[in-house]
Amino acid sequence: MVFLAWKRKREAEIEAEPVDRQEPKAARPTIGLALGGGAARGWAHIGVVRRLVAAGIAPDVIAGTSIGALVGGAHACGRLDDLESWAREMTKRRVFGLLDFRFGGAGLIGGGRLAQLLRDSVGDTAIEDLPIRYAAIATELSTGHEIWLTRGSLVDAIRASYALPAIFPPVKVAGRWLMDGAMVNPIPVSAARALGARVVIAVNLNADVFGRGTVIQDHGVEPEVAAEAMAEPEAEESRFGKVLRLVRRQAADYDGPRGISSVMVDAFNITQDRIARSRLAGDPPDVMVAPRLGKIGLFQFHHAEDVIRLGEEAVERALPEINEAIAALG
């Protein structure tokens, strides 16, 4: 009887209490960034991150490939300001000074100077100690496995992710020889989702470069053009002429055959673009951010100011779509 009396009293008290009929507010969904590869065009990632944070859309997860791993790692460990300042101060002379060329090794550039610069900035930071979830994407040399570096040295993970074949030597991490992750996953949407992202924003640095790639179904060479191309020079070329020809072959406005480094990197980026299209078709992001970088060369690291601005502008254009995705998936 005592229990029944207490129960009726408690029910009466509950009925008398004011009821808040507002719907409970859903927490913001987990935001993931998938930062793609693209060499110097990757400075656009700095502008992307800056504009997203300014709009209140700070990422909870970052998966990066190549320079995407570098910029994403810098943001994750709180050193994006340092990276941006260094990038904005970059000149052609400084770029060249960072390249420790060597012959006979596994890469044209040793990469020791860049690695030391990274260590001076990041130190011994471990990925598992970062305040946000992070993965750098790499490719295992012997097997072609896609490797997600989610623990251990942040510096080693970044170096492995940007180790462009034949340019930088492979990096050994936990017993595996690793190289550029763009060979298997150029824009790592899948990794961002696996790390818990509910909304994935992908950044494609090459959309404006290869976006109109198609199939030319009928193409050939006119007979007189072919004969002219095969003709031998009448006189022996001077040493100065050879040097001049090599310089011209590296120039961006030269319409003849490219130098070996340009050919190799262009071929790698065409392959990367085709792989990216296939991966994105099977696992598309919720929002794609595509900076307009068609006029930016792969090695124009000294154009950071313009490239960062283009990244910011790309996010500005995509903000309505980003906010819609967050509202829909929240």
Side-chain angles (χ1 to χ4, degrees):
M1 293 295 292
V2 174
F3 173 76
L4 290 175
W6 174 84
K7 183 180 178 182
R8 292 192 187 99
K9 181 181 178 183
R10 182 58 187 151
E11 288 173 349
E13 290 174 350
I14 292 174
E15 288 178 1
E17 289 176 358
V19 178
D20 182 4
R21 300 193 179 279
Q22 280 189 324
E23 290 291 329
K25 293 183 179 179
R28 192 201 74 171
T30 304
I31 306 295
L33 270 184
L35 303 180
R41 297 176 188 136
W43 294 146
H45 290 319
I46 297 176
V48 167
V49 173
R50 291 287 191 213
R51 187 65 190 89
L52 286 174
V53 172
I57 311 173
D60 307 293
V61 173
I62 294 180
T65 295
S66 198
I67 195 162
L70 170 62
V71 176
H75 174 68
C77 70
R79 306 307 287 265
L80 190 62
D81 288 345
D82 295 341
L83 179 63
E84 181 176 355
S85 298
W86 178 74
R88 288 182 182 276
E89 294 170 359
M90 192 65 65
T91 62
K92 288 184 178 180
R93 182 181 294 274
R94 289 186 177 181
V95 171
F96 191 79
L98 287 171
L99 306 180
D100 43 345
F101 292 99
R102 67 181 189 179
F103 300 95
L108 181 63
I109 300 169
R113 295 175 189 171
L114 282 171
Q116 189 57 51
L117 191 68
L118 270 174
R119 289 193 183 93
D120 291 343
S121 176
V122 176
D124 297 326
T125 303
I127 295 173
E128 54 266 38
D129 294 334
L130 295 174
I132 65 176
R133 280 163 278 177
Y134 171 85
I137 311 304
T139 305
E140 186 173 17
L141 182 60
S142 60
T143 65
H145 290 332
E146 179 179 333
I147 307 296
W148 297 358
L149 296 163
T150 57
R151 50 193 171 88
S153 168
L154 177 61
V155 169
D156 288 346
I158 293 171
R159 289 182 61 216
S161 189
Y162 71 57
L164 186 68
I167 300 295
F168 291 104
V171 177
K172 194 171 188 178
V173 178
R176 298 177 186 267
W177 286 103
L178 306 179
M179 54 187 177
D180 200 317
M183 298 182 67
V184 289
N185 199 349
I187 308 172
V189 173
S190 56
R193 288 201 195 284
L195 290 175
R198 173 69 171 157
V199 176
V200 176
I201 303 167
V203 184
N204 185 354
L205 302 176
N206 296 314
D208 197 38
V209 182
F210 297 111
R212 294 179 294 277
T214 186
V215 176
I216 308 299
Q217 297 183 357
D218 184 17
H219 183 66
V221 181
E222 296 297 330
E224 61 273 16
V225 175
E228 180 183 348
M230 294 174 63
E232 293 291 334
E234 295 181 0
E236 184 179 352
E237 191 175 19
S238 67
R239 179 174 297 180
F240 175 76
K242 290 180 180 179
V243 172
L244 181 61
R245 177 165 53 86
L246 288 172
V247 170
R248 287 180 61 217
R249 287 172 67 179
Q250 301 296 337
D253 58 352
Y254 176 57
D255 194 35
R258 312 293 290 172
I260 185 170
S261 60
S262 295
V263 169
M264 182 171 59
V265 173
D266 284 351
F268 178 84
N269 278 279
I270 291 169
T271 304
Q272 171 185 322
D273 172 67
R274 297 309 187 265
I275 295 170
R277 292 190 197 195
S278 177
R279 295 293 300 256
L280 292 173
D283 190 6
D286 298 293
V287 182
M288 177 69 78
V289 175
R292 293 169 179 165
L293 301 168
K295 296 182 180 180
I296 304 298
L298 288 169
F299 297 116
Q300 291 181 332
F301 289 96
H302 54 291
H303 287 178
E305 184 172 352
D306 292 334
V307 178
I308 291 170
R309 175 179 51 79
L310 291 170
E312 293 174 341
E313 291 174 356
V315 173
E316 193 66 36
R317 292 191 301 272
L319 268 180
E321 187 179 358
I322 294 172
N323 286 323
E324 286 178 10
I326 292 172
L329 298 172

